[in-house]
Amino acid sequence: MSSAPQPEQEYARLLDLARYDILDTAPEKAFDRITRLAARTLRAPSAVLNFVDQDRQWGKSCFGTTDSTAPREHSFCAWTILSDEVLTVADARQDQRFLDNPLVLGSPSIRMYAGAPLTTPSGHRIGSLCVFGDAPLDLEPADLEALQDLAALVMDELELRLHNRALQSQVSMQGQQLQELRQLVTHAQVLEDINRLLDATLSPQEATLEVSRLIGTAIHADWTGLMAFEADTMTVQVAHHQPDLNPALLAFAARLPDLAGGVTRSLRNTKHTTYLEDYPQHPLALPEGVEAGLKSAAWVPLGQHANIDYLLIAVRADRGRRAAWRASDRALLDAAGRSVRAALVRHSVLEASVLQARRDPLTGVANRRAFDQDLERRAHSRQSFTLALIDLDGFKLVNDVEGHAQGDRVLQVFATALHHEVRDFGQAYRYGGDEFALLLDPTSEDDTMEHVDIATLAARQVTALPLGASTGVVKAEAGYFSGTELPDLERQADQRMYEAKRRRQRLRAQLPTKV
C-alpha cells in the first residue's frame, strides 16, 4: 500500500482548513442531506463527507456507513485532494495504490470509490465528498458532474458559515481583511517552521517550549507559557513575554502552580483549544489574575509524552481591542496544536521501538546492543565507572535436568533481581546466553559482588540444583578511556570472570565427596 504524497503548500492548506472550524464538530442536517443525496443520485450504498487533516481523515457526515475517521496513510480522500478532478477507482482490489489498504481488506471493504475534492476560494483542496461500495458500479460522466456539483454545495455551505461568523464579528473593513490575509501568509510560514522544528533532534519538552515561543511571538501574546502536568504536580515555563508586560502579571504566571483551582487546572485533559475573550467573567477566574490585568487567554493542548501532559497558554493583558483573538490567531493555534500532538505521538512510537530494540525479550533487562551503546557513551563521558561481567555457574545443568522452561525462569528471576539491585546507580544487561553485565557509577568490587550475590540467592529459590555466579569487575578511571580501549576493558573483565570461575571449580574439587 502506498500513501498519498502531500499537496503543494500543505501548511497553507492546513491553515485554510482550520479557518472553517469544522473539525471534530457534531453531525449536522445540512451536510447529512448532501451525503444522502450523493448516495442516491449516484446509486451508491455509502457516501461520506471527509476532511483531510495533517495525520488523519475526519468524517463530518456519513450515509450508509459509520464513522469514517482513519489515518491519513489509509485515506482514499488523501489521493482525491491531489487534483481538481473527480478521483474514480473502479476496483480497489486491482489498483496498486489500494489493493492492500485496510479499508479494502477489512471494513468497510471498499471496492468502488469516487470522490470530488472540496476546493476553497484560495485554491486549497481540504477534503472530499465521496461515494463508495463493496461491489462494482458503473458511473456515467453525468454522475461525476453531479458529484462535483454536490461538493460545490458543501463549500458554499462552509463559505456561508464563514461569512456569517465574519459578519457577527463585524470584520467588514477591507483593511482588516487584507491584514488577516497577510497574517495568514505569515502564520503559514510560522507553522512550517514549527513542523521543521518538530522534526529536529530535540526532546519533547525542548520542542514544545520552543513551539510555545514561536507561537507567542507570532500572535503577539503578552505572555506565553508551557504547562506540564505529571501526576498531581503542575509546573510552568515561560516561553515568551513582552518586555513592557506588567510585573504583576509575570508574578501571577510564576505562582500558577501554587494556586488552587483556576481555569488552567480544569483544562488539563482538554482535547480542544479553549479561548476566553473576557477572563475576569469566567467563573473559575483566579482573583490574582484579574488583579494583575489578565484580559484574554488561550489554552492549547499539546498532547502527552512519558506520562506528562503539555498545555500551552497564551495570555493578553487588558490593552484594548488587541486583547481579542483574531481568526488568524485561532487558525495558527489550532493547526500548531494538532501538529505538536501528532509529533509527540510519533516521538512516543519511535521511543517505544528504540526501547524494544534495546530490551532482551526473555528477561526484560537491556540486551547486548544496549550494553555496547551505553559502554561507548560512558567512555565518551570521560567519567569513572565500573564494569562487571557475570556468568551463571551451574545453569547448563538446570537446563539439562529441569528443562529449558525452568532455565528461562532462573534467568528471568536473576535478571529482575539484578536490575532492582543496581537501578539507582547503573544498568543490568543480558550479555548473552547465561552471561550478564553491569555498567555502574563508581562502585567497589565488594559492593558489586554483594549485589550479584543477592541476585544469585533470588535465582536459587526457583531451582533445586546448585547455582552460583562468577564475576569479573573492572573500574574505568575518569578520563582514561577514549573509546579505543573498550575491547581491552571488556577482555580484562572477561579474564577476571573466568579466573573467578576457575577458583570456584578448584574449591568444589577440593570438597569431600558425600557418600
Side-chain angles (χ1 to χ4, degrees):
M1 180 186 73
S2 59
S3 57
Q6 288 190 349
E8 294 182 4
Q9 299 181 334
E10 168 68 0
Y11 300 118
R13 188 193 73 82
L14 290 172
L15 281 171
D16 218 5
L17 170 60
R19 283 194 315 123
Y20 293 100
D21 198 23
I22 194 70
L23 293 175
D24 301 310
T25 57
E28 297 179 68
K29 291 182 179 180
F31 297 111
D32 291 342
R33 281 193 293 268
I34 294 176
T35 52
R36 185 166 60 245
L37 185 59
R40 291 175 178 172
T41 302
L42 276 71
R43 307 171 304 284
S46 302
V48 173
L49 174 59
N50 278 331
F51 293 94
V52 181
D53 198 3
Q54 183 166 19
D55 289 292
R56 60 169 179 162
Q57 72 170 21
W58 177 80
K60 172 64 177 176
S61 175
C62 300
F63 176 82
T65 186
T66 56
D67 181 21
S68 65
T69 300
R72 184 165 174 174
E73 60 263 31
H74 300 164
S75 172
F76 280 63
C77 297
W79 289 92
T80 302
I81 65 171
L82 298 178
S83 169
D84 290 327
E85 304 299 324
V86 175
L87 172 67
T88 58
V89 180
D91 189 345
R93 297 179 305 180
Q94 304 300 321
D95 193 312
Q96 290 296 320
R97 296 169 295 179
F98 308 113
L99 55 85
D100 56 348
N101 190 301
L103 302 179
V104 175
L105 300 178
S107 179
S109 303
I110 296 175
R111 187 170 179 185
M112 179 281 300
Y113 170 92
L118 305 175
T119 306
T120 70
S122 56
H124 296 118
R125 295 177 287 273
I126 59 174
S128 167
L129 176 65
C130 62
V131 296
F132 60 88
D134 56 2
L137 178 64
D138 293 327
L139 295 177
E140 301 294 334
D143 296 325
L144 304 184
E145 185 178 355
L147 189 61
Q148 287 180 309
D149 289 342
L150 292 172
L153 287 178
V154 172
M155 288 310 306
D156 289 344
E157 179 68 22
L158 290 175
E159 282 296 308
L160 178 61
R161 293 169 180 225
L162 194 62
H163 291 316
N164 285 341
R165 286 204 303 269
L167 289 173
Q168 292 168 3
S169 303
Q170 297 182 347
V171 183
S172 58
M173 296 176 60
Q174 287 188 350
Q176 290 176 316
Q177 292 174 345
L178 180 59
Q179 182 182 5
E180 281 293 313
L181 180 59
R182 289 173 176 168
Q183 197 68 47
L184 186 64
V185 173
T186 302
H187 286 180
Q189 181 60 53
V190 172
L191 186 59
E192 187 171 352
D193 292 343
I194 287 172
N195 279 271
R196 190 180 300 113
L197 173 69
L198 294 172
D199 289 333
T201 56
L202 297 175
S203 70
Q205 185 163 1
E206 291 171 335
T208 50
L209 184 62
E210 182 61 16
V211 166
S212 301
R213 185 192 67 79
L214 287 174
I215 292 175
T217 303
I219 65 176
H220 304 290
D222 286 306
W223 180 90
T224 309
L226 178 66
M227 309 302 297
F229 298 90
E230 184 174 13
D232 296 328
T233 303
M234 179 175 76
T235 58
V236 59
Q237 287 183 279
V238 179
H240 164 267
H241 70 82
Q242 297 295 342
D244 60 345
L245 183 62
N246 182 357
L249 195 52
L250 274 176
F252 164 70
R255 292 186 56 218
L256 263 179
D258 302 323
L259 300 176
V263 181
T264 300
R265 289 187 184 275
S266 73
L267 294 174
R268 170 177 179 168
N269 297 315
T270 186
K271 302 300 181 185
H272 306 287
T273 303
T274 300
Y275 298 96
L276 279 184
E277 301 291 358
D278 195 355
Y279 177 84
Q281 297 303 313
H282 195 280
L284 295 180
L286 294 171
E288 295 90 338
V290 176
E291 293 173 6
L294 198 162
K295 175 59 178 176
S296 62
W299 291 263
V300 184
L302 299 182
Q304 184 186 79
H305 181 267
N307 296 319
I308 300 176
D309 295 297
Y310 293 103
L311 184 68
L312 179 153
I313 307 178
V315 166
R316 285 202 174 121
D318 192 356
R319 302 190 185 205
R321 293 183 64 184
R322 198 169 66 87
W325 298 111
R326 296 169 298 189
S328 58
D329 296 334
R330 293 173 180 249
L332 177 61
L333 288 166
D334 291 344
R338 288 195 296 274
S339 294
V340 175
R341 290 193 292 273
L344 290 188
V345 170
R346 292 195 300 270
H347 197 282
S348 296
V349 170
L350 179 60
E351 279 192 345
S353 64
V354 170
L355 183 62
Q356 188 69 23
R358 286 171 48 90
R359 180 177 295 158
D360 176 58
L362 175 64
T363 62
V365 298
N367 58 18
R368 177 64 180 269
R369 176 181 180 179
F371 170 81
D372 292 338
Q373 293 172 345
D374 293 349
L375 177 60
E376 185 173 357
R377 177 179 55 80
R378 279 188 177 264
H380 287 162
S381 74
R382 306 186 70 80
Q383 301 294 316
S384 299
F385 65 93
T386 298
L387 164 66
L389 294 181
I390 308 157
D391 184 78
L392 287 180
D393 300 328
F395 177 74
K396 184 177 183 301
L397 185 61
V398 174
N399 264 344
D400 293 342
V401 176
E402 297 182 346
H404 287 281
Q406 185 65 9
D408 289 348
R409 177 64 177 155
V410 168
L411 292 176
Q412 290 166 344
V413 171
F414 179 80
T416 301
L418 192 63
H419 166 73
H420 283 284
E421 279 294 306
V422 305
R423 62 183 176 179
D424 292 335
F425 53 91
Q427 179 79 39
Y429 307 84
R430 188 181 181 194
Y431 196 70
D434 59 354
E435 293 186 351
F436 291 82
L438 295 174
L439 287 176
L440 310 174
D441 296 340
T443 306
S444 69
E445 183 174 356
D446 288 344
D447 288 343
T448 303
M449 294 293 192
E450 183 177 348
H451 296 308
V452 175
D453 288 343
I454 292 173
T456 306
L457 287 172
R460 287 175 182 166
Q461 306 307 308
V462 295
T463 177
L465 296 173
L467 189 72
S470 297
T471 307
V473 181
V474 177
K475 184 177 180 181
E477 298 297 338
Y480 179 74
F481 286 95
S482 63
T484 57
E485 299 89 349
L486 292 181
D488 293 336
L489 184 68
E490 289 186 67
R491 277 193 292 270
Q492 188 178 354
D494 191 65
Q495 290 171 358
R496 293 183 181 181
M497 179 184 72
Y498 279 100
E499 287 171 3
K501 182 181 286 290
R502 286 191 287 271
R503 286 196 300 271
R504 292 173 62 88
Q505 291 171 343
R506 287 196 296 270
L507 287 174
R508 282 198 299 269
Q510 295 170 6
L511 293 175
T513 304
K514 292 184 179 180
V515 180

